[in-house]
Amino acid sequence: ESSKPTNFIHQVIEQDLEQGKNGGKVVTRFPPEPNGYLHIGHAKSICLNFGTAEKYKGGCNLRFDDTNPEKESQEYIDSIIEDVKWLGFQWQGDICYTSNYFDQLYAWAVYLINEGKAYVCDLGPDEAREYRGNFTTPGKDSPYRNRSVEENLALFEKMKNGEFAEGACSLRAKIDMQSPNMNLRDPMIYRIIHTSHHQTGDKWCIYPIYDFAHGQSDAIEGVTHSICTLEFEDHRPLYEWFLENLPVPVVPKQYEFSRLELNYTITSKRKLKQLVDENIVTGWNDPRMPTISGLRRRGYTPASLRNFCDMVGVTRSNGVVDMGMLEAAVREDLDKNSPRAMCVVRPLKVTITNYDDALEEWFELPKHPKDDTMGMRKVPFTRNLLIEQDDFAEVPPRKWKRLTQGVAVRLRGAYVITCDEVIKDAEGNVVELKCSYDAATKGANPEGYKPKGVIHWVSADNSVPCEVREYDRLFTVENPDADKERDFNEFINPESLVVVTGGRCESGLADAAVESRYQFERTGYFCVDADSTAETLVFNRTVGLRDSWGK
Ligand code: ATP
Ligand code: MG
Ligand code: MG
């Protein structure tokens, strides 16, 4: 007996398939408006729409919902296409644009006018709002509601021909000004916008409203299950009204699920754009952004985002997901799949006084402790080494397992060393450690010998300079949007980016490609940033080895 899917949309689909609905086909669509870059919430919608189509051997369309030319651009279109592909999904057929259907939508608007179900209204926005009423007050009919079909046709034609200024009039569906559902109170369906459109140029100066475009586009494309977020639940009666009142080829159905919200960040294109426009971040793909391109640059993998979306699940109850869960998803993937390397972020000089560089030793270390298929890496050992400043303490705290004077520690994969002498500068800062190594400890401890701990290191002479960008959460509070008195950008985490220059990593990383991901042993997960140059690699910290937020 096959188990029932926990995803309620899949339950609906399986029922539909059992009943032979839609000719046994499943067609979904992902319909972003190209008015910004996609964020983690969109990733959930992408995984749901494309994933559902895959699961039921159907297809998913990528449709740009491009009915607001003022806010949209080709740059956004390009980034969205890139993000969907990067997440590992492929749409069926050509990319779709709502603007491909402007002729058909116009014809359907004329159809509604002819049916006496749409009229041109001259109320300005403020008046229209007043006439619409609110949840406790029924609306009033517009004084233009009873214009004749002929007059409406002529006026709508004039709207289309650019004879009116923006806002002078609009086309509205004639439904019910008394409806308890505000969306049914004669919603606007076309408005005048004298702006050229990224796809249609200057062909149109009237553009359909989302509600008038969405269901009809679904019908034109043969979408069977139109999956959107819960804020569209109240729009469903309108979605259905248009499909019932127009000669559409098929009748898709709308289903709503809850939006993904994450704490310590914001998921709204408009607000993310504000962060970009105000230069609070370096761009849409700043590694602190919850955008797909930002997460990608931060070092997230497509699989980690897909797994995360799976873990979150699909429900109709709103809830805020903990950022720790997203971080755990990438940590799990990178732990399994990223090669290990050593990088000393804040170096302290170590001289192995009894070591002879003529040995020209290279140690072979596994790229991954649990995955032999990744093979080995070679790490040069020299007399001049670097260790992490943090890994030495002159006066060690209790239970100290790192280096201190007179105590032996193992250099990961190499020898056990003992610190014999601490060299300080004039201000008393520790600038160098003179150490000695024990040749008998190469790769393993002799009988009865137990160094206190293991620390990472690199050769000072044969390693690669790098800059390390230590990223952390963008906001200091769980819900940066909660405070009505203060703007979310007042809660930016001042330590969300700490740039550390002067680091050195293993020589084997010299040619690491942009976006290569590593676990720097004992430090965290990192990936190569596009800002890397021939002289200096730049690494972004994706996430620490374990959850340390607030600790
Ligand atoms: P934003 O408010 O960030 O602009 P939006 O819903 O206006 O989001 P669209 O481009 O219209 O953005 O979204 C495309 C699809 O992604 C829609 O079906 C929408 O419901 C879905 N989506 C957007 N945000 C989320 C989210 N946080 N969680 C799940 N799905 C989302
Ligand atoms: Mg939208
Ligand atoms: Mg929006």
Side-chain angles (χ1 to χ4, degrees):
E1 194 187 329
S2 74
S3 61
K4 254 191 151 196
T6 52
N7 173 333
F8 78 94
I9 289 177
H10 292 172
Q11 289 173 3
V12 167
I13 290 178
E14 294 193 6
Q15 241 169 41
D16 289 350
L17 290 174
E18 270 166 34
Q19 295 168 8
K21 281 194 193 156
N22 310 310
K25 271 195 322 184
V26 175
V27 180
T28 58
R29 86 284 169 270
F30 171 64
E33 183 181 357
N35 62 349
Y37 283 58
L38 299 180
H39 52 63
I40 182 72
H42 295 110
K44 178 170 172 183
S45 179
I46 291 171
C47 290
L48 177 57
N49 279 294
F50 285 92
T52 297
E54 261 170 28
K55 181 172 162 82
Y56 297 103
K57 307 204 164 36
C60 179
N61 291 345
L62 173 58
R63 181 200 311 149
F64 288 103
D65 202 348
D66 54 348
T67 57
N68 290 311
E70 289 160 307
K71 295 198 172 150
E72 300 165 0
S73 74
Q74 190 62 43
E75 178 197 345
Y76 296 143
I77 292 176
D78 295 341
S79 74
I80 290 169
I81 293 172
E82 177 74 20
D83 288 348
V84 171
K85 287 200 285 201
W86 179 76
L87 276 175
F89 295 108
Q90 180 59 55
W91 49 91
Q92 63 172 0
D94 292 336
I95 291 174
C96 305
Y97 295 83
T98 299
S99 56
N100 290 348
Y101 318 133
F102 281 172
D103 285 313
Q104 176 66 79
L105 292 168
Y106 180 78
W108 278 336
V110 170
Y111 178 93
L112 281 186
I113 293 174
N114 276 313
E115 296 281 298
K117 291 175 184 165
Y119 60 97
V120 174
C121 180
D122 299 356
L123 291 179
D126 293 337
E127 292 167 303
R129 196 172 310 119
E130 202 191 306
Y131 273 81
R132 197 177 306 120
N134 54 40
F135 290 103
T136 53
T137 325
K140 286 182 300 184
D141 287 359
S142 159
Y144 306 98
R145 199 172 200 258
N146 293 316
R147 277 173 163 161
S148 68
V149 168
E150 289 68 35
E151 193 184 358
N152 281 320
L153 287 174
L155 288 170
F156 190 45
E157 172 98 29
K158 281 190 175 179
M159 277 174 65
K160 177 187 175 226
N161 292 339
E163 293 179 40
F164 297 120
E166 284 185 17
C169 51
S170 63
L171 187 71
R172 297 174 67 176
K174 199 186 224 178
I175 307 180
D176 180 5
M177 290 306 291
Q178 262 74 61
S179 173
N181 184 332
M182 300 293 290
N183 293 306
L184 296 180
R185 293 188 187 176
D186 290 11
M188 186 192 281
I189 59 178
Y190 260 96
R191 75 272 201 232
I192 301 168
I193 303 176
H194 289 285
T195 298
S196 23
H197 187 283
H198 48 95
Q199 303 302 309
T200 57
D202 292 322
K203 177 169 176 193
W204 298 91
C205 64
I206 56 171
Y207 293 95
I209 288 288
Y210 170 90
D211 286 313
F212 188 69
H214 206 85
Q216 290 92 304
S217 303
D218 287 340
I220 293 168
E221 292 174 10
V223 167
T224 56
H225 298 80
S226 182
I227 306 166
C228 62
T229 35
L230 271 174
E231 72 270 22
F232 291 103
E233 187 174 16
D234 285 351
H235 294 241
R236 189 177 350 119
L238 183 55
Y239 179 99
E240 290 171 351
W241 191 90
F242 289 126
L243 296 177
E244 274 161 29
N245 287 280
L246 290 169
V248 289
V250 295
V251 180
K253 276 202 73 155
Q254 174 181 305
Y255 301 90
E256 309 88 18
F257 69 101
S258 61
R259 285 176 87 82
L260 169 67
E261 292 200 51
L262 261 189
N263 62 11
Y264 294 102
T265 192
I266 44 182
T267 46
S268 150
K269 275 183 282 185
R270 184 174 58 77
K271 290 173 188 158
L272 294 174
K273 184 170 189 299
Q274 200 179 321
L275 293 174
V276 175
D277 291 344
E278 292 174 8
N279 294 315
I280 292 171
V281 295
T282 57
W284 284 97
N285 71 343
D286 186 300
R288 292 167 293 180
M289 291 280 269
T291 51
I292 296 178
S293 51
L295 291 165
R296 173 179 179 176
R297 187 167 172 197
R298 176 80 167 253
Y300 277 73
T301 59
S304 66
L305 296 185
R306 291 196 308 261
N307 290 344
F308 169 73
C309 291
D310 271 356
M311 285 194 300
V312 170
V314 178
T315 67
R316 283 177 56 87
S317 51
N318 281 314
V320 180
V321 174
D322 190 72
M323 178 62 93
M325 195 165 154
L326 179 62
E327 293 166 346
V330 74
R331 201 177 280 124
E332 187 189 330
D333 184 15
L334 293 177
D335 179 37
K336 209 186 284 167
N337 297 309
S338 61
R340 275 41 177 174
M342 289 191 283
C343 176
V344 174
V345 181
R346 294 169 176 83
L348 172 62
K349 205 171 146 186
V350 168
T351 307
I352 311 291
T353 49
N354 59 340
Y355 188 80
D356 181 1
D357 267 345
L359 286 171
E360 293 194 19
E361 271 187 295
W362 289 73
F363 288 96
E364 279 220 10
L365 305 184
K367 285 196 178 160
H368 195 288
K370 291 182 220 135
D371 183 353
D372 297 342
T373 64
M374 285 198 197
M376 305 296 282
R377 61 192 218 261
K378 288 194 158 169
V379 184
F381 192 82
T382 53
R383 179 183 164 88
N384 298 320
L385 301 176
L386 301 169
I387 66 165
E388 210 71 67
Q389 287 168 17
D390 270 3
D391 281 337
F392 173 77
E394 233 190 328
V395 184
R398 280 184 47 201
K399 296 186 180 170
W400 183 249
K401 292 224 173 61
R402 310 178 212 174
L403 199 57
T404 185
Q405 200 160 353
V407 172
V409 295
R410 173 170 293 283
L411 297 176
R412 165 86 85 194
Y415 294 108
V416 172
I417 60 166
T418 305
C419 175
D420 307 314
E421 191 186 346
V422 179
I423 314 285
K424 295 183 183 174
D425 64 11
E427 280 95 57
N429 302 311
V430 176
V431 291
E432 184 185 348
L433 305 176
K434 302 256 190 225
C435 300
S436 50
Y437 86 112
D438 182 342
T441 60
K442 184 171 176 171
N445 295 330
E447 272 279 307
Y449 189 107
K450 202 165 182 313
K452 275 226 148 183
V454 181
I455 63 174
H456 61 278
W457 56 279
V458 293
S459 160
D461 312 312
N462 192 357
S463 55
V464 178
C466 62
E467 170 182 320
V468 172
R469 298 180 181 170
E470 297 178 332
Y471 288 106
D472 210 329
R473 297 178 180 184
L474 185 52
F475 294 97
T476 51
V477 295
E478 280 197 35
N479 186 351
D481 243 351
D483 195 325
K484 295 281 165 282
E485 311 288 304
R486 296 170 67 187
D487 204 37
F488 60 88
N489 60 20
E490 291 179 48
F491 300 101
I492 298 289
N493 177 4
E495 277 155 35
S496 58
L497 170 58
V498 175
V499 177
V500 189
T501 55
R504 309 281 296 198
C505 63
E506 271 180 45
S507 60
L509 269 50
D511 299 319
V514 173
E515 289 191 358
S516 317
R517 306 177 185 93
Y518 298 93
Q519 185 199 90
F520 287 160
E521 300 196 58
R522 301 181 60 241
T523 308
Y525 296 97
F526 292 79
C527 84
V528 179
D529 192 82
D531 285 347
S532 297
T533 62
E535 292 78 43
T536 309
L537 282 170
V538 175
F539 288 101
N540 297 325
R541 181 171 68 195
T542 311
V543 70
L545 289 179
R546 49 197 78 78
D547 187 0
S548 60
W549 178 257
K551 297 204 176 93

